[in-house]
C-alpha cells in the first residue's frame, strides 16, 4: 500500500522569505505522480504543482518548485517570495500514473502561516 | 466553465440518520471520486465511480454507498450516521480514457457534515 507522510504539522514564514515543506512517501510502483495541493479556508483543494516520477527534472510553477528525490522517496515543496495569500494547509499526495486506479493518497497536511 | 459543484455546503444531522450528498463533475469529466476529510487531517479516499459503477473503494464500511447517474453526477449516501462521520466530504472529478494516462482531478468545495 502507498503511504504519504508529512511530519511537520505547522510552519511559519516571513512574508517575502522562502520556506520548504517536507514530504516522504512509500510505494512499490515505478510510474506515478506526486502532487502538492493547497487548501485555503475556502476548503477547495487547489493543485499547486505536479511531478511525474519518470522525469528527473524538478517541476517548477512560478514561485513554487519541488525537490524530487526518487531513490529517497522524498518530495519537498519550496515556496519563494512568500505572500500572505500562501497561508493555507498544504497536502502532499500520490497517484499511480496509469490504469483505472486514479485515487489520490494524501498526507496529513501542514498548516503554513505567513507573517507580515 | 463550471467546475465541480457540491451540495449542500453545510449539513447537520442526528446520530442514526441517513444523509445524501451530491456532486456535479466539471464539464467533460466522467469519473467522480469521493473523499472524507476529518478535521486537521488529509482526505481519505472513499470510492470512485466511472460508467455508473463503483470502480474502486477505500477502507470504508458498507454504510457508505454511492451512485453515478448517466449525466456523470454522483451521490454519496451514508446510513446510520455516527458522530465520527462528522467531516468535510470532498468530491473530485476527472476524465478517464482507457489506455492513456489519467487526467488531473478537480475538487469541489466540499460538504461540511456535522453529526450531533
Amino acid at each position: 500500500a502507498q503511504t504519504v507522510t508529512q511530519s511537520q504539522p505547522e510552519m511559519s514564514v516571513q512574508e517575502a522569505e522562502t520556506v520548504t515543506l517536507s514530504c516522504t512517501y512509500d510505494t512499490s510502483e515505478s510510474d506515478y505522480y506526486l502532487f502538492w495541493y493547497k487548501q485555503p479556508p475556502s476548503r477547495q483543494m487547489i493543485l499547486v504543482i505536479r511531478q511525474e516520477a519518470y522525469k528527473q527534472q524538478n517541476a517548477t510553477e512560478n514561485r513554487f518548485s519541488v525537490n524530487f528525490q526518487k531513490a529517497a522517496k522524498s518530495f519537498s515543496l519550496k515556496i519563494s517570495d512568500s505572500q500572505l495569500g500562501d497561508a493555507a494547509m498544504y497536502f502532499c499526495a500520490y497517484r499511480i500514473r496509469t490504469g483505472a486506479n486514479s485515487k489520490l493518497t494524501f498526507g496529513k497536511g501542514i498548516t503554513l502561516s505567513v507573517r507580515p | 466553465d463550471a467546475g465541480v459543484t457540491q451540495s449542500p455546503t453545510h449539513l447537520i444531522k442526528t446520530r442514526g440518520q441517513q444523509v445524501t450528498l451530491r456532486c456535479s463533475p466539471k464539464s467533460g469529466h466522467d469519473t467522480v471520486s469521493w473523499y472524507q476529510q476529518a478535521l486537521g487531517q488529509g482526505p481519505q479516499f472513499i470510492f470512485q465511480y466511472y460508467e455508473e459503477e463503483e470502480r474502486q473503494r477505500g477502507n470504508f464500511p458498507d454504510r457508505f454507498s454511492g451512485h453515478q447517474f448517466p449525466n456523470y453526477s454522483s451521490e454519496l449516501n451514508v446510513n446510520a450516521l455516527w458522530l465520527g462521520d462528522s467531516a468535510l466530504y470532498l468530491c473530485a472529478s476527472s476524465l478517464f480514457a482507457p489506455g492513456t494516462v489519467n487526467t488531473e482531478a478537480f475538487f469541489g468545495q466540499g460538504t461540511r457534515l456535522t453529526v450531533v
Side-chain angles (χ1 to χ4, degrees):
Chain A
Q2 298 83 19
T3 59
V4 177
T5 302
Q6 294 178 256
S7 56
Q8 307 156 304
E10 297 179 358
M11 286 200 73
S12 181
V13 62
Q14 191 76 34
E15 195 176 5
E17 297 291 307
T18 296
V19 65
T20 298
L21 311 182
S22 301
C23 172
T24 58
Y25 62 96
D26 190 25
T27 182
S28 57
E29 301 289 339
S30 59
D31 198 8
Y32 51 88
Y33 289 124
L34 293 166
F35 306 86
W36 279 97
Y37 280 90
K38 171 184 178 182
Q39 188 178 41
S42 66
R43 309 181 320 203
Q44 186 168 18
M45 285 283 189
I46 302 166
L47 179 64
V48 174
I49 198 165
R50 180 180 80 175
Q51 174 76 44
E52 288 125 321
Y54 70 90
K55 289 187 178 179
Q56 291 187 335
Q57 186 173 7
N58 289 323
T60 62
E61 287 288 342
N62 301 313
R63 299 183 295 108
F64 300 88
S65 62
V66 300
N67 183 3
F68 174 48
Q69 301 291 327
K70 191 172 184 180
K73 294 181 179 173
S74 168
F75 183 61
S76 61
L77 174 69
K78 185 172 81 172
I79 306 174
S80 303
D81 186 26
S82 296
Q83 301 174 0
L84 295 177
D86 295 333
M89 277 203 80
Y90 286 81
F91 293 93
C92 179
Y94 161 100
R95 194 187 84 196
I96 194 167
R97 185 168 177 264
T98 58
N101 182 352
S102 63
K103 74 169 187 177
L104 288 158
T105 300
F106 288 88
K108 287 187 175 181
I110 178 170
T111 301
L112 177 67
S113 59
V114 181
R115 305 186 303 275
Chain B
D1 175 24
V4 180
T5 58
Q6 292 187 244
S7 63
T9 55
H10 295 85
L11 201 53
I12 299 175
K13 288 287 190 178
T14 304
R15 278 177 297 174
Q17 284 189 316
Q18 179 263 345
V19 67
T20 297
L21 311 182
R22 295 176 176 82
C23 172
S24 292
K26 180 179 169 63
S27 178
H29 284 182
D30 58 7
T31 301
V32 173
S33 300
W34 287 92
Y35 293 83
Q36 181 195 65
Q37 185 179 11
L39 192 62
Q41 301 293 316
Q44 297 292 313
F45 175 75
I46 303 175
F47 43 52
Q48 180 185 87
Y49 278 83
Y50 169 67
E51 289 188 333
E52 302 180 46
E53 290 188 12
E54 183 182 293
R55 298 291 175 167
Q56 191 176 11
R57 188 178 184 92
N59 188 25
F60 279 81
D62 291 345
R63 298 187 298 109
F64 289 77
S65 63
H67 189 77
Q68 186 179 35
F69 299 93
N71 67 353
Y72 308 119
S73 66
S74 176
E75 288 182 349
L76 164 65
N77 300 293
V78 187
N79 294 322
L81 285 166
W82 297 359
L83 295 180
D85 294 331
S86 295
L88 178 68
Y89 289 85
L90 293 166
C91 170
S93 74
S94 57
L95 175 64
F96 175 59
T100 66
V101 299
N102 296 305
T103 59
E104 217 55 75
F106 285 78
F107 284 82
Q109 289 190 305
T111 294
R112 172 74 66 192
L113 173 65
T114 302
V115 182
V116 297

